[in-house]
Amino acid sequence: MKFCEKLGKKVVALIVVGLLALPISAGSVQAAGNYHDTSFSFSYQGDGSDVYTAARSKYDYTSMWMDYRSGNTGFYADPFGTSSTSSTGVWSPYKGMQYHFSAGQSNYVKNTVKEKGYPYARFRFFTDKHSGLIQMSGYWSPDSI
């Protein structure tokens, strides 16, 4: 009889511990997003036009990430949301708010792409100068950890 009581208490204790651990593991899975870096590289005539990264899936409500590795000028980056990877129309969640990057700088970029219902994110770049050959490269991700 005592053996059954001890065994029953151990089983109940294991169930309780398992139930307590469940929300912790479920929360970590939910926060995992599209955080792997993708490279970008642009070389274009500085004619005043803007360039965009390819659109990538936005899985969660975290900041986007930008790492500007090298380039011959600084640039501004806007976070954008879009409804498909082939869509040319984009929506800026910050209506004129831009983040400035200099070569060698990285930063988290706040955005509301997911909150506004857009399944894809991308960056729009425009440069400090609008003449000569513009070169820039680095990495970005639509989600962060």
Side-chain angles (χ1 to χ4, degrees):
M1 182 74 173
K2 284 192 168 207
F3 175 75
C4 289
E5 280 182 27
K6 286 183 178 181
L7 182 62
K9 287 180 181 180
K10 288 181 181 180
V11 169
V12 169
L14 284 173
I15 291 171
V16 168
V17 168
L19 289 174
L20 290 174
L22 185 61
I24 295 169
S25 63
S28 65
V29 171
Q30 185 179 20
N34 194 1
Y35 60 87
H36 296 288
D37 293 339
T38 297
S39 65
F40 67 87
S41 181
F42 297 107
S43 181
Y44 67 101
Q45 219 32 54
D47 60 1
S49 63
D50 302 331
V51 291
Y52 294 86
T53 62
R56 292 180 56 196
S57 295
K58 179 85 171 121
Y59 294 145
D60 58 38
Y61 303 102
T62 61
S63 295
M64 293 166 67
W65 170 254
M66 172 73 64
D67 182 6
Y68 181 32
R69 292 289 173 104
S70 65
N72 61 348
T73 188
F75 68 85
Y76 291 90
D78 292 89
F80 274 74
T82 184
S83 55
S84 73
T85 56
S86 61
S87 174
T88 55
V90 293
W91 171 82
S92 173
Y94 277 104
K95 304 286 187 218
M97 179 179 222
Q98 297 95 23
Y99 287 77
H100 186 268
F101 287 87
S102 299
Q105 183 181 3
S106 59
N107 205 357
Y108 293 98
V109 177
K110 293 180 182 179
N111 67 91
T112 55
V113 170
K114 188 71 174 172
E115 291 86 339
K116 296 292 183 180
Y118 288 90
Y120 300 97
R122 66 193 319 177
F123 276 109
R124 173 182 71 142
F125 302 131
F126 57 99
T127 63
D128 292 347
K129 63 180 186 175
H130 295 290
S131 61
L133 183 64
I134 307 294
Q135 296 177 334
M136 57 176 76
S137 64
Y139 296 90
W140 79 282
S141 62
D143 298 320
S144 60
I145 43 178

